[in-house]
């Protein structure tokens, strides 16, 4: 039997209040969606100021109302800079009798029924806890495993292990495949990614002492989830950059094929290709800046994560083993930041190639435009020579009109035809001379 006293589930979830380029209307919509988690008469005291940690309701803990009288709990909302944080605590209202591990399934269901599905979250962490009955001989890891299976249908059980306040702690993190869709990357409640920590304490005193760390966990889990969220966002941005690059490459191939066949490109078509490339390049540049922005988010939150973890270790004392929480720092530093840095370098090289493509296309348009203007000038020069010749012969031909009538009575307009023929001949001669001299 995997029995615990006072099984408790705490869900820590996080939602953005503001982000890059968020409008005031979007900020208000985010606030309304967050407020919808609580009883209808709840009001948020959320002034427009920068703050590392701000409790935004009065009272700070809002009673968790359940139809199941055996359950109790509360909401605890805060704001951490640009992010809303919410702890939802739900437990079996009995601190004397043991409860089976399957109780965690009931607690999780109760919490999920309270969630606003419209809330767009950036991450969440489940914290399961309870203490062992006196003189228990149960293996804490076996209990933790049963608790996890009650919480999740996932059969993945390869936990990181540690100790905290004389209790045994287990961490399970199952990130979904990194090829996220946009919906999954922006709403962690609907994704299969989950972060679970299970703490099995030896007695009530240890569990009550651990409850004093909830504010510390709120900050630590926030930084952790923002790091993972920013990395997922960076994968989407990279995918967008690659799509933009492919579109520009397609336009470039059209131009290159035309050059290889020595075709005369219609200037209108060339300008259309250039406009397409220009528009795509603008989006490419924006995405490249966004990729750098995601890197900065990871760097800032990684620093905060490490500082918060150091404070938790100092507060808990030396007899605690929380090194497993440092592994995420190493992962963020050695994989996430390194990957994004390499992506930025590669995409900047791509930007240079795209700019070269634009310059080549623009040069081609200028050449075609110059050739067209030159041909027009040739036409004007040749036509001008012909028209001038016809004009010069106009008066002399009139004087010879009677002579032409006597010689050829049936061709009364011959004098004009004669001057026209002479004009054409002169135009041809001028064209040949300009072509030789060119």
């Amino acid at each position: 039997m995997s029995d615990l006293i006072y099984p408790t589930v705490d869900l820590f979830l996080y939602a953005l209040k503001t982000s890059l380029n968020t409008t005031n209307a979007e900020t208000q919509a985010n606030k309304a969606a967050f407020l919808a988690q609580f009883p209808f008469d709840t009001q948020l005291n959320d002034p427009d100021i920068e703050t590392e940690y701000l409790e935004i309701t009065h009272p700070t803990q809002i009673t968790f109302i359940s139809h199941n009288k055996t359950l109790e709990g509360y909401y605890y909302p805060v704001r951490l800079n640009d992010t809303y944080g919410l702890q939802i605590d739900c437990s079996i209202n009995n601190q004397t009798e043991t409860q089976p591990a399957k109780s965690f399934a009931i607690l999780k269901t109760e919490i999920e029924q309270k969630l606003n599905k419209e809330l767009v979250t950036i991450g969440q962490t489940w914290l399961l806890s309870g203490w062992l009955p006196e003189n228990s001989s149960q293996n804490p890891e076996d209990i933790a495993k049963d608790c996890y299976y009650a919480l999740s249908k996932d059969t993945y059980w390869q936990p990181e292990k540690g100790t905290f306040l004389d209790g045994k702690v287990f961490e399970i993190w199952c990130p979904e495949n990194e090829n996220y869709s946009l919906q999954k990357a922006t709403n962690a409640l609907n994704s299969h990614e989950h972060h679970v920590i299970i703490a099995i304490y030896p007695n009530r005193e240890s569990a009550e002492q651990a409850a004093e760390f909830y504010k510390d966990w709120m900050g630590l889990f926030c930084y952790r989830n923002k790091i993972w969220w920013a990395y997922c966002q960076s994968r989407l941005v990279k995918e967008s950059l690659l799509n933009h690059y492919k579109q520009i490459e397609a336009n470039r191939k059209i131009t290159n094929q035309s050059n290889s066949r020595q075709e005369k490109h219609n200037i209108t078509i060339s300008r259309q290709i250039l406009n397409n490339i220009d528009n795509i390049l603008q989006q490419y540049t924006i995405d490249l800046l966004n990729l750098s922005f995601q890197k900065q988010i990871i760097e800032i939150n990684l620093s905060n994560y490490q500082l918060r973890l150091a404070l938790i270790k100092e507060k808990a004392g030396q007899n605690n083993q929380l090194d497993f929480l440092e592994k995420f720092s190493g992962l963020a530093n050695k994989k996430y930041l390194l990957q994004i840095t390499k992506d930025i370098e590669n995409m900047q090289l791509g930007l240079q190639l795209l700019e070269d493509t634009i310059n080549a296309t623009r040069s081609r348009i200028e050449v075609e435009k110059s050739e067209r203007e030159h041909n027009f000038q040739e036409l004007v020069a040749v036509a001008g020579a012909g028209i001038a010749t016809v004009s010069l012969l106009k008066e002399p031909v009139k004087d010879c009109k009677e002579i032409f009538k006597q010689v050829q009575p049936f061709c009364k307009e011959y004098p004009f035809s004669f001057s026209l023929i002479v004009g054409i001949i002169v135009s041809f001669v001028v064209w040949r001379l300009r072509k030789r001299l060119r």
Side-chain angles (χ1 to χ4, degrees):
M1 294 291 291
S2 297
D3 294 335
L4 284 174
I5 298 175
Y6 201 56
T8 302
V9 172
D10 289 280
L11 172 62
F12 295 85
L13 62 83
Y14 303 92
L16 285 180
K17 175 186 177 181
T18 59
S19 59
L20 187 65
N21 297 328
T22 299
T23 65
N24 184 61
E26 290 171 336
T27 300
Q28 293 303 316
N30 292 340
K31 180 178 179 180
F34 185 70
L35 184 60
Q37 302 292 318
F38 315 116
F40 72 95
D41 57 345
T42 303
Q43 293 184 349
L44 295 185
N45 180 23
D46 185 20
D48 190 17
I49 58 173
E50 276 196 31
T51 176
E52 184 176 350
Y53 196 100
L54 178 66
E55 295 175 335
I56 55 178
T57 59
H58 182 76
T60 57
Q61 292 184 356
I62 304 169
T63 302
F64 187 97
I65 300 174
S66 173
H67 296 297
N68 188 339
K69 300 303 180 181
T70 65
L71 305 181
E72 64 176 0
Y74 59 85
Y75 302 92
Y76 176 62
V78 299
R79 180 161 68 84
L80 305 99
N81 290 321
D82 62 348
T83 305
Y84 287 124
L86 174 62
Q87 174 193 1
I88 305 179
D89 177 281
C90 188
S91 56
I92 302 294
N93 187 12
N94 186 330
Q95 299 187 19
T96 57
E97 298 178 350
T98 59
Q99 307 292 332
K102 64 181 180 181
S103 300
F104 286 102
I106 299 172
L107 298 174
K108 179 190 178 186
T109 300
E110 187 70 21
I111 289 176
E112 289 180 331
Q113 290 175 351
K114 302 294 183 180
L115 294 176
N116 174 18
K117 302 301 182 181
E118 300 301 319
L119 180 66
V120 178
T121 65
I122 61 174
Q124 61 185 25
T125 294
W126 295 89
L127 175 60
L128 283 61
S129 61
W131 66 82
L132 295 170
E134 190 175 357
N135 300 322
S136 173
S137 60
Q138 299 178 90
N139 185 342
E141 183 168 355
D142 291 338
I143 298 175
K145 186 175 181 180
D146 290 339
C147 294
Y148 178 71
Y149 288 155
L151 183 83
S152 173
K153 296 179 181 179
D154 193 357
T155 57
Y156 180 92
W157 178 256
Q158 295 182 15
E160 298 290 343
K161 304 174 185 178
T163 60
F164 181 64
L165 302 177
D166 298 326
K168 300 297 182 181
V169 184
F170 307 88
E171 180 189 42
I172 307 95
W173 181 43
C174 305
E176 198 181 47
N177 188 293
E178 291 167 3
N179 295 322
Y180 268 38
S181 68
L182 182 60
Q183 180 182 3
K184 290 178 180 177
T186 56
N187 194 343
L189 288 177
N190 295 330
S191 74
H192 296 297
E193 185 273 335
H194 62 275
H195 179 225
V196 180
I197 292 181
I198 303 173
I200 309 297
Y201 298 106
N203 49 55
R204 178 172 180 168
E205 290 73 19
S206 293
E208 289 178 345
Q209 187 180 357
E212 298 176 2
F213 285 78
Y214 279 149
K215 291 184 180 180
D216 298 290
W217 297 132
M218 175 71 82
L220 186 74
F221 298 152
C222 177
Y223 304 136
R224 186 189 191 285
N225 280 288
K226 288 185 77 172
I227 290 170
W228 170 245
W229 174 79
Y231 181 68
C232 291
Q233 294 297 309
S234 75
R235 300 307 86 201
L236 291 174
V237 174
K238 180 183 177 182
E239 183 180 352
S240 178
L241 283 166
L242 292 174
N243 289 335
H244 291 326
Y245 190 87
K246 290 176 183 178
Q247 293 177 34
I248 294 179
E249 277 292 295
N251 283 276
R252 186 180 65 82
K253 287 180 180 180
I254 295 174
T255 303
N256 289 345
Q257 289 173 359
S258 177
N259 289 337
S260 64
R261 293 195 296 263
Q262 297 183 344
E263 292 180 352
K264 294 290 184 180
H265 233 223
N266 186 306
I267 288 184
T268 302
I269 296 177
S270 297
R271 287 189 183 280
Q272 183 179 356
I273 292 175
L274 182 61
N275 288 336
N276 289 341
I277 295 176
D278 271 332
N279 292 334
I280 298 171
L281 186 60
Q282 289 180 9
Q283 294 300 318
Y284 189 97
T285 304
I286 292 173
D287 280 347
L288 192 55
L289 290 173
N290 194 3
L291 195 60
S292 298
F293 181 68
Q294 301 305 327
K295 179 184 176 183
Q296 291 177 358
I297 291 177
I298 293 177
E299 289 173 339
I300 293 170
N301 284 279
L302 178 57
S303 176
N304 290 335
Y305 180 90
Q306 292 169 336
L307 288 173
R308 177 64 66 176
L309 182 56
L311 290 173
I312 291 174
K313 286 184 173 182
E314 181 180 354
K315 183 177 176 180
Q318 297 181 351
N319 295 327
N320 297 277
Q321 295 293 328
L322 297 175
D323 293 344
F324 67 93
L325 293 173
E326 292 182 349
K327 291 186 178 181
F328 183 77
S329 298
L331 179 66
N333 194 33
K334 295 179 181 179
K335 180 181 179 181
Y336 299 164
L337 286 177
L338 181 61
Q339 180 66 60
I340 295 177
T341 299
K342 292 296 182 183
D343 290 340
I344 291 173
E345 292 174 355
N346 293 335
M347 295 305 168
Q348 285 176 337
L349 290 175
L351 179 62
Q352 183 177 350
L353 292 174
L354 298 180
E355 289 175 342
D356 291 343
T357 299
I358 283 186
N359 292 334
T361 305
R362 186 174 284 116
S363 297
R364 178 177 175 81
I365 290 176
E366 291 300 322
V367 170
E368 292 175 354
K369 182 179 178 182
S370 177
E371 288 181 355
R372 180 167 292 190
E373 290 176 350
H374 180 76
N375 292 335
F376 180 73
Q377 291 173 357
E378 288 287 328
L379 177 62
V380 170
V382 171
I387 293 171
T389 301
V390 172
S391 299
L392 289 173
L393 292 177
K394 183 177 181 181
E395 294 301 325
V397 168
K398 283 183 178 179
D399 295 338
C400 299
K401 189 174 183 180
E402 294 300 325
I403 299 174
F404 279 108
K405 284 183 179 180
Q406 293 175 6
V407 177
Q408 295 291 343
F410 57 87
C411 189
K412 297 180 181 180
E413 300 301 325
Y414 186 75
F416 173 75
S417 301
F418 175 76
S419 61
L420 183 61
I421 291 171
V422 173
I424 292 173
I425 293 172
V426 171
S427 297
F428 178 76
V429 171
V430 170
W431 175 73
R432 292 290 297 177
L433 287 173
R434 288 179 66 87
K435 188 175 181 180
R436 287 188 176 184
L437 293 174
R438 189 165 56 182

